[in-house]
Amino acid sequence: DADVTQTPRNRITKTGKRIMLECSQTKGHDRMYWYRQDPGLGLQLIYYSFDVKDINKGEISDGYSVSRQAQAKFSLSLESAIPNQTALYFCATSDDRVGTGELFFGEGSRLTVL
Amino acid sequence: TQLLEQSPQFLSIQEGENLTVYCNSSSVFSSLQWYRQEPGEGPVLLVTVVTGGEVKKLKRLTFQFGDARKDSSLHITAAQTGDTGLYLCAGVPGSNYKLTFGKGTLLTVNP
C-alpha cells in the first residue's frame, strides 16, 4: 500500500460544482502539502500544514480551501470549480525532524473541469 | 520570476548516450533535491545535496551541488529507457522553509 494515498485518482466535473480531493498518509509525518501541476509550469504550492492546528496559504491558494482533519488526513476543496482548475493535483508529506524538506508524494488526482 | 531554472526543458536521446541536465539559480539554497516523475505517478526523491561542492552517485546518476550552493547538475551515464521521465529540482532557499520547484526537464530515452 502507498504511504501517501489520494482519492479520487481521476475526476471529471462541471463548472460550479464543489469538489473535494482527499489525502491520507501512513508515514507519521506532521507536515502535509497540496500542489498543483500543469504542463510546463512545474509544481505550484496551494496550501501547506505543519500540524493539525497550522494551515498556511501557498503560491496559488485563491479558489481553494483545505481541512486538516487529523495528523494523517489533509483534504483540498474547490468550492466552485472552474475550467482553469483542470490540472493534476498532488498531496505530499515531509518529516519536520529533517531540515532538508524532502517530500513524499501521493500518486496524484487528475481533475478535469468542463 | 522562476527561482530555479532547469535546462534543457526537453531532451530526447538514444539509449547508451550520456547526458547532463542543469538546475540554476541566483539564490543560495540550504539544500537541493532532485526528483524523478514518471507518467501517471507522483515525483519520487532521488537525492538531496546539502554541502557546496558535494557530489553524490546513485548507480549511473551523478548529482553535483555547486560550490556556492546556487546550482546543481544531474549527469546520467549510458542512459536506459527506464530513465525516461520528468526530472525536477527543488530547493530550500536560505532560511525560508518552503520548498521551491523548477519546471523540470522532460527526458525521453529511445531504444
Side-chain angles (χ1 to χ4, degrees):
Chain A
D1 289 343
D3 293 324
V4 183
T5 303
Q6 293 182 229
T7 55
R9 293 292 312 277
N10 288 283
R11 180 72 183 270
I12 300 173
T13 191
K14 294 183 178 180
T15 297
K17 294 292 188 181
R18 184 177 186 273
I19 296 297
M20 179 180 286
L21 305 180
E22 298 186 350
C23 177
S24 62
Q25 53 116 345
T26 58
K27 297 192 74 68
H29 291 167
D30 283 327
R31 298 183 172 187
M32 297 187 74
Y33 311 79
W34 276 103
Y35 283 89
R36 168 178 172 157
Q37 187 175 42
D38 297 276
L41 292 179
L43 286 160
Q44 296 174 282
L45 182 62
I46 307 172
Y47 270 95
Y48 61 103
S49 170
F50 283 0
D51 65 41
V52 175
K53 296 180 181 179
D54 180 70
I55 304 287
N56 303 281
K57 293 183 177 181
E59 308 164 69
I60 55 163
S61 59
D62 287 349
Y64 302 94
S65 62
V66 291
S67 174
R68 185 82 183 267
Q69 300 96 325
Q71 187 213 31
K73 295 184 182 295
F74 192 36
S75 60
L76 175 72
S77 294
L78 288 68
E79 296 301 326
S80 180
I82 56 176
N84 76 1
Q85 291 178 312
T86 292
L88 188 55
Y89 291 86
F90 286 101
C91 175
T93 73
S94 69
D95 186 350
D96 62 356
R97 295 168 298 177
V98 178
T100 54
E102 299 164 18
L103 295 175
F104 298 85
F105 287 86
E107 294 181 315
S109 296
R110 184 169 296 280
L111 176 66
T112 302
V113 184
L114 302 176
Chain B
T1 303
Q2 190 73 16
L3 196 58
L4 281 168
E5 297 285 348
Q6 290 192 245
S7 60
Q9 187 176 358
F10 301 97
L11 184 57
S12 180
I13 62 170
Q14 296 300 122
E15 201 167 24
E17 293 183 1
N18 301 331
L19 66 113
T20 302
V21 298
Y22 300 92
C23 177
N24 295 303
S25 178
S26 57
S27 299
V28 175
F29 287 85
S30 57
S31 67
L32 204 142
Q33 296 142 36
W34 286 92
Y35 293 80
R36 180 170 64 210
Q37 183 180 13
E38 298 184 17
E41 304 291 333
V44 176
L45 181 70
L46 296 173
V47 77
T48 299
V49 286
V50 296
T51 305
E54 183 176 4
V55 177
K56 282 192 173 179
K57 293 193 175 187
L58 186 66
K59 297 183 181 178
R60 294 173 294 99
L61 279 61
T62 301
F63 303 85
Q64 184 160 9
F65 200 14
D67 291 341
R69 292 186 289 132
K70 292 183 178 181
D71 53 83
S72 181
S73 62
L74 159 59
H75 181 80
I76 301 179
T77 302
Q80 301 176 355
T81 56
D83 295 326
T84 292
L86 179 68
Y87 288 81
L88 295 159
C89 69
V92 180
S95 59
N96 177 356
Y97 169 76
K98 273 189 286 185
L99 195 63
T100 297
F101 280 86
K103 294 183 179 181
T105 293
L106 186 60
L107 172 65
T108 303
V109 182
N110 302 296

